[in-house]
Amino acid sequence: MVKKYVVVSGGVISGIGKGIIASSTGLLLKTMGLKVTSIKIDPYLNIDAGTLSPLDHGEVFVLHDGGEVDLDLGNYERYLDVTLTRANNITTGKIYRDVIERERKGDYLGKTVQVVPHITDAIQDWVERVATIPVDDTGEEPDVCIIELGGTVGDIESAPFVEAMRQFQFRVGHDNFALIHVSLVPTIGSVGEQKTKPTQASIRDLRGLGLSPDLIACRCEKTGLDDGIQAKISMFCHVQPNQVLAVRDCNSVYHVPELLKDQGLIDFLWKRLNIEKTINISEPLKQKGGEMWKKWNELTTAQERLHDTVTIALVGKYTNLQDSYASVVKALEHASLNCHKKLIIKWIEASDLEPETRSANPVKHHDAWRDLCSAQGILVPGGFGNRGVEGKIAAAKWAREQGIPYLGICLGLQIAVIEFARNVCGMSDANSVELEENTPTPVVVYMPEISKTHLGGTMRLGTRPTEFQAGTENSTIRKLYGGGSTVLERHRHRYEINPELIDQFEAKGLRFVGRDETGQRMEIVELADHPYFLGVQYHPEYLTRPLKPSAPFMGLILAATKELQKHLSTL
């Protein structure tokens, strides 16, 4: 079948918003009835994102098949409502490993293996193969593949991928390949004059590498592009004025698709890729796409009209880079929007809650506790290592004792259990073997099947079932999930609650309502006689969607706004 490819590249600076532009473009094409998939190209040498620090590269997103990938794939899944695979994330490491393995097997016997053509061919072959994998509920091959080319044009590490895309445009043909280049139009000086030279230089670099943009998406401040700037970019970058899009800063990234549509992105790609004559779109998919766009518009319109707020304290150790918790924030946003509340997040560095900070920096300590105590709900997300753990335990203790809604994810569940063991069960030295290897009371233990020597790709990863236990029909979280006996969620962890201590915890009111299929691994914990105190071993944030929020997050927002019981009564 004919397949269309839309490549999104970036220039001037990193972090310019290629992921949102790529996701928004895919969403707009899907609302027209097309089946859309996405690929993210990351030029780093790592095989995957699993061993990268969140402070260095943002959140590690986990896919259905257990792939640990760049956070942009989370954007693709949320915007397009698709299920991607680890193959949808291409890295330099994966490509070189693939080529070297083939060389060792003798596939290139007699040839000198080089970047061109062997690496560039491997990249193109990978893209063509992945573009055929069904990703949505139709089970059919996608019509369009959006390819985000990571990094900045001109970087050494992305050069093989740029060259591969240069060759690829001829492999698939002019009518099947379009390029959107995202650039920056900065505002300089006290008079606020917009400058086009960075964009001109970026386009010049791109053309020098053999690629010509079909659309130039210009990132700019809230006012958009000034008069004459669009015409100037058009003239110096060799494109029509309608091919220059102003992507101004919006109140929310959910407004970007509408911004692009209003400037004719769909109409341009429809003609440029000759979609009308080459792809047959079924009426049911057209209708479904139209309904999707209607709901998206309703969501963004409602967001602008929100007045009632809900304040959630996010207690983590990577709060200096908020992208470290990208999916958690999106899950909170989606739940808040569906509860018709405006979300306010109080970012609390966990170590600021600890006694050591009270001595070293009393003001910071006081501010952290003030934010925690004034929040309507508390969330402790996943994480690794010792730093900030005692602060998270203090936050869980405050939530439990004061009746404040609490949601603990992965490490957040383990934190809640450690706190309960210490302060309710009398296990004063309770801890995790991750934090204290020889702890006398190991509440959290290493999973026996997990490697202790290799860190990359060795955790318990991907979608796995959680089964609600007998007698949990009245469980709050079970009701929020719809009352079924099993839920499927994505996991990423090495440690688990010690099964030998479960009876002691449950005797004191900490109920492990969800377990894995063996019944030995704890997945969901609820505290009896509390408005909402929930811990989950999995990561529910990975499956949140703007129009289908995650159940644990919905529970947190509803409980924080004292609407949970009313909501449960309607289920």
Side-chain angles (χ1 to χ4, degrees):
M1 64 175 288
V2 176
K3 192 165 316 297
K4 309 296 182 180
Y5 297 89
V6 179
V7 176
V8 179
S9 62
V12 185
I13 60 171
S14 60
I16 199 168
K18 297 186 299 295
I20 297 300
I21 300 291
S23 301
S24 300
T25 301
L27 171 69
L28 290 172
L29 292 174
K30 189 164 184 175
T31 62
M32 301 301 290
L34 293 167
K35 300 182 289 291
V36 182
T37 187
S38 288
I39 293 174
K40 173 67 188 296
I41 294 176
D42 282 308
Y44 47 67
L45 280 167
N46 305 62
I47 298 296
D48 58 35
T51 55
L52 293 173
S53 165
L55 290 173
D56 182 55
H57 206 73
E59 169 192 75
V60 177
F61 190 81
V62 176
L63 298 169
H64 171 76
D65 63 1
E68 296 173 284
V69 296
D70 185 85
L71 59 86
D72 279 320
L73 275 84
N75 282 327
Y76 303 157
E77 287 204 342
R78 286 187 288 269
Y79 272 67
L80 305 179
D81 195 17
V82 295
T83 302
L84 303 176
T85 69
R86 67 181 74 218
N88 289 80
N89 191 197
I90 303 176
T91 69
T92 299
K94 286 180 181 178
I95 294 295
Y96 274 77
R97 181 181 64 178
D98 184 50
V99 170
I100 290 169
E101 284 177 353
R102 290 171 63 185
E103 188 275 331
R104 290 290 83 188
K105 286 193 298 184
D107 290 359
Y108 306 116
L109 205 57
K111 297 179 180 178
T112 302
V113 181
Q114 298 174 293
V115 172
V116 180
H118 301 101
I119 294 295
T120 52
D121 282 352
I123 294 167
Q124 295 175 74
D125 293 343
W126 192 303
V127 167
E128 282 195 308
R129 173 174 58 83
V130 174
T132 64
I133 300 173
V135 293
D136 58 23
D137 52 10
T138 66
E140 298 174 0
E141 194 173 309
D143 302 311
V144 180
C145 179
I146 309 292
I147 304 167
E148 182 188 345
L149 182 56
T152 305
V153 168
D155 289 349
I156 292 173
E157 55 264 31
S158 62
F161 295 103
V162 175
E163 171 60 19
M165 290 300 101
R166 184 194 70 78
Q167 298 173 23
F168 193 64
Q169 63 186 327
F170 301 113
R171 180 189 284 203
V172 300
H174 179 75
D175 284 354
N176 301 318
F177 181 96
L179 173 63
I180 301 173
H181 187 68
V182 187
S183 187
L184 179 68
V185 178
T187 301
I188 304 296
S190 57
V191 295
E193 184 183 2
Q194 289 184 331
K195 294 293 186 181
T196 64
K197 278 292 188 291
T199 294
Q200 293 179 43
S202 181
I203 298 298
R204 187 165 56 247
D205 288 345
L206 188 66
R207 289 187 186 281
L209 295 169
L211 288 169
S212 295
D214 295 290
L215 290 168
I216 303 173
C218 299
R219 288 296 312 279
C220 51
E221 295 186 354
K222 287 193 174 183
T223 52
L225 292 177
D226 294 342
D227 293 342
I229 295 296
Q230 185 180 38
K232 188 174 182 180
I233 292 173
S234 166
M235 179 171 62
F236 284 104
C237 295
H238 198 62
V239 294
Q240 292 287 340
N242 70 320
Q243 293 172 262
V244 180
L245 308 179
V247 187
R248 57 178 173 79
D249 293 339
C250 299
N251 293 331
S252 164
V253 293
Y254 303 122
H255 293 283
V256 175
E258 188 175 359
L259 187 67
L260 296 176
K261 185 178 183 181
D262 290 345
Q263 296 180 74
L265 181 137
I266 293 178
D267 295 337
F268 178 84
L269 289 178
W270 217 256
K271 294 174 184 176
R272 171 66 182 77
L273 295 172
N274 199 20
I275 291 173
E276 192 75 47
K277 296 180 180 178
T278 54
I279 297 179
N280 182 32
I281 305 173
S282 68
E283 282 302 320
L285 284 178
K286 285 182 183 178
Q287 185 177 352
K288 187 176 179 182
E291 291 171 356
M292 182 182 185
W293 183 242
K294 180 183 176 184
K295 289 180 180 178
W296 190 275
N297 269 328
E298 289 173 351
L299 187 78
T300 55
T301 302
Q303 185 184 27
E304 289 294 307
R305 297 173 180 170
L306 295 177
H307 300 291
D308 295 338
T309 61
V310 57
T311 303
I312 302 297
L314 193 154
V315 184
K317 63 180 291 188
Y318 311 119
T319 56
N320 289 333
L321 181 66
Q322 294 178 7
D323 267 357
S324 302
Y325 301 110
S327 291
V328 171
V329 172
K330 297 304 178 190
L332 286 170
E333 288 178 355
H334 300 165
S336 300
L337 281 170
N338 280 268
C339 293
H340 309 293
K341 297 291 185 289
K342 186 175 182 178
L343 176 67
I344 298 174
I345 297 178
K346 296 289 188 181
W347 294 89
I348 300 175
E349 187 69 22
S351 56
D352 291 347
L353 298 171
E354 297 173 356
E356 291 79 5
T357 305
R358 181 170 56 195
S359 304
N361 194 330
V363 174
K364 186 181 285 188
H365 180 77
H366 171 78
D367 289 346
W369 272 102
R370 181 195 61 205
D371 287 343
L372 185 75
C373 295
S374 62
Q376 295 167 266
I378 296 171
L379 190 151
V380 177
F384 298 93
N386 271 300
R387 185 170 62 83
V389 164
E390 292 302 323
K392 294 177 183 179
I393 291 173
K397 183 173 185 285
W398 173 262
R400 179 182 60 79
E401 292 181 343
Q402 302 300 320
I404 306 298
Y406 174 91
L407 174 59
I409 298 171
C410 197
L411 177 63
L413 172 143
Q414 297 168 10
I415 290 293
V417 175
I418 292 170
E419 188 280 322
F420 191 85
R422 289 181 183 179
N423 298 307
V424 178
C425 299
M427 306 175 185
S428 59
D429 51 5
N431 214 332
S432 166
V433 295
E434 177 189 9
L435 312 171
E436 184 184 347
E437 188 173 355
N438 298 314
T439 176
T441 309
V443 171
V444 180
V445 297
Y446 217 97
M447 290 188 288
E449 72 271 27
I450 302 297
S451 170
K452 293 186 178 182
T453 57
H454 288 69
L455 298 181
T458 58
M459 286 187 271
R460 184 170 179 251
L461 295 163
T463 302
R464 298 170 185 270
T466 294
E467 297 183 358
F468 286 105
Q469 301 303 289
T472 61
E473 290 75 16
N474 290 322
S475 159
T476 296
I477 187 59
R478 183 169 181 175
K479 289 179 180 177
L480 288 168
Y481 271 117
S485 59
T486 305
V487 293
L488 294 172
E489 293 277 10
R490 298 181 186 177
H491 294 68
R492 184 177 186 249
H493 64 114
R494 285 192 179 88
Y495 300 88
E496 63 175 330
I497 301 299
N498 189 344
E500 296 177 3
L501 300 175
I502 299 306
D503 290 343
Q504 296 180 54
F505 297 145
E506 294 204 318
K508 293 287 188 177
L510 197 63
R511 303 169 59 222
F512 292 87
V513 298
R515 307 187 183 191
D516 74 344
E517 57 269 49
T518 69
Q520 296 300 305
R521 184 158 287 155
M522 304 303 122
E523 295 278 7
I524 306 175
V525 62
E526 274 185 336
L527 181 62
D529 301 320
H530 192 284
Y532 189 78
F533 194 94
L534 178 73
V536 292
Q537 186 60 71
Y538 48 80
H539 288 264
E541 69 270 23
Y542 293 144
L543 289 180
T544 184
R545 302 287 185 267
L547 304 174
K548 291 184 287 186
S550 166
F553 287 89
M554 277 292 289
L556 178 66
I557 299 299
L558 286 166
T561 55
K562 297 183 167 45
E563 295 177 2
L564 179 58
Q565 293 308 316
K566 178 182 176 182
H567 177 79
L568 292 177
S569 67
T570 65
L571 299 179

